[in-house]
Each structure stands twice: as C-alpha cells, then as structure tokens.
C-alpha cells in the first residue's frame, strides 16, 4: 500500500494546496495531510482549527475517502515512519521554493532512506498563491474567493474579526 504524507502549515488551506491534494491523492492508496504544530512562524489558526478547515474542504470533494487530516509535531520523517508512509508530497511554486525544498528532501532521505519526496509543480493559476497572500488580503477585508475554497472564506474573515475585537 502506497501511503503519502503532504505536510505543511496550511494557515489557512488555499486553492493551491487543494490542487496539490487532489493531484497527489490520485497517485497513492492513502494520503495523510499533516498539519505542522510546532511552527516557528506564529500561525493565525491553531493546529486544530487548520485541521478542521482542511477536513471541511475535503468533505466537499469526490473520491477523498482515502484522505485523512491530522496535526503533528517533531520531525516529519518520524511522523512518516509512524504512519508507514513512503512518500512525502511537496509543492513547488517557483525557483525560490526549490533550494529550500531540495535541502529538506535530501536531509529527510538521508535520515530515512525508505522515504522519498515527490514534488508537484504548481498549476499555473496558483503559482503566485500562498497562505500569506490570503492573510494579507483578508486582514484588510479584501476579496479572497479566488484564493481559498468557498467553504472556509467566512472562517478566515471571522478569525480576523475575532482578533480585532480582543
Ligand atoms: P510550509 O509547509 O512551507 O509552511 P505551506 O503550508 O504554505 O508552507 O505549504 C505546504 C506545501 O504546499 C509546500 O510544499 C508548498 O510549496 C506547497 N504550496 C503552497 N502553496 C502552493 C501553491 N499555490 N501551489 C503549489 N504548491 C503550493
């Protein structure tokens, strides 16, 4: 059984992430979306919230019964080993992603030679898209419907409103 892990911050999930999820899920028997807990960047959403948002998005999509979502902390290779995953899925948007991703992929393979990283090149329409861009636009009340799945739009605005009212 081919088990893949797609790790990331997903703060929040974007249409770029969803595109990678759907494409990668067709190549494995099981895809685990791993939401990173111990983030050095201070995330907007808690890990549990990010997991819930992804689950909500996946629920609306066909052929996703073999996709699960969970948070993790510690080393990615350890999490992959615990879950019997052989494949780590990552996305590449631009040359700027490449150097960092190559280093991480090579390091992970060195730590555990049973695990390989598979890269998906971004679909052209999402090549500019990141969670940071979404947060910047939403923070100023801008329209994010081209950037995130419909079912989470309100949650992103609500989050900014709740921060403002503290
Ligand atoms: P990180 O894991 O670096 O904190 P993210 O959670 O934003 O970052 O992204 C998780 C993975 O998804 C990374 O491999 C990233 O390159 C990829 N990714 C993010 N946005 C896109 C996009 N628009 N198109 C393709 N891949 C993307």
């Amino acid at each position: 059984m081919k088990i893949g892990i797609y790790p990331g911050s997903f703060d929040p999930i974007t249409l770029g992430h969803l595109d990678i999820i759907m494409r990668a899920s067709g190549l494995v028997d099981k895809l685990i979306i791993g939401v990173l807990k111990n983030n050095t960047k201070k995330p907007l959403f808690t890990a549990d919230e990010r997991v819930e948002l992804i689950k909500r998005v996946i629920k609306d999509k066909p052929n996703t019964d073999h996709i699960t979502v969970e948070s993790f902390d510690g080393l990615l290779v350890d999490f992959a080993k615990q879950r019997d995953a052989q494949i780590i899925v990552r996305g590449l948007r631009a040359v700027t992603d490449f150097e960092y991703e190559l280093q991480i992929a090579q390091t992970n393979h060195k730590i555990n030679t049973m695990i390989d990283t598979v890269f998906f090149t971004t679909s052209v329409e999402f090549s500019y898209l990141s969670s940071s861009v979404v947060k910047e636009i939403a923070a100023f009340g801008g329209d994010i419907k081209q950037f995130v799945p419909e079912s989470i739009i309100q949650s992103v605005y609500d989050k900014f409103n709740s921060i403002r009212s503290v």
Side-chain angles (χ1 to χ4, degrees), residues 13-18 93 97 122-135 137 144 146-149:
I13 181 173
T14 69
L15 290 174
H17 294 133
L18 181 59
R93 277 162 294 189
D97 280 342
T122 180
S123 295
V124 179
E125 66 266 41
F126 303 128
S127 57
Y128 60 88
L129 186 52
S130 67
S131 299
S132 312
V133 164
V134 168
K135 284 181 276 191
I137 297 171
I144 55 170
Q146 295 176 63
F147 309 130
V148 301

Side-chain angles (χ1 to χ4, degrees), residues 6-10 16-17 20 41 90-91 93 101 122 126 129:
Y6 178 30
S9 312
F10 305 106
H17 294 133
I20 302 288
K41 323 161 199 168
R90 293 287 286 175
R93 277 162 294 189
E101 293 290 345
T122 180
F126 303 128
L129 186 52

Side-chain angles (χ1 to χ4, degrees), residues 31 46 51 55 85 112 149 161 163:
L31 183 68
T46 65
V51 167
K55 282 184 176 168
N112 187 337
N161 287 335
I163 291 169

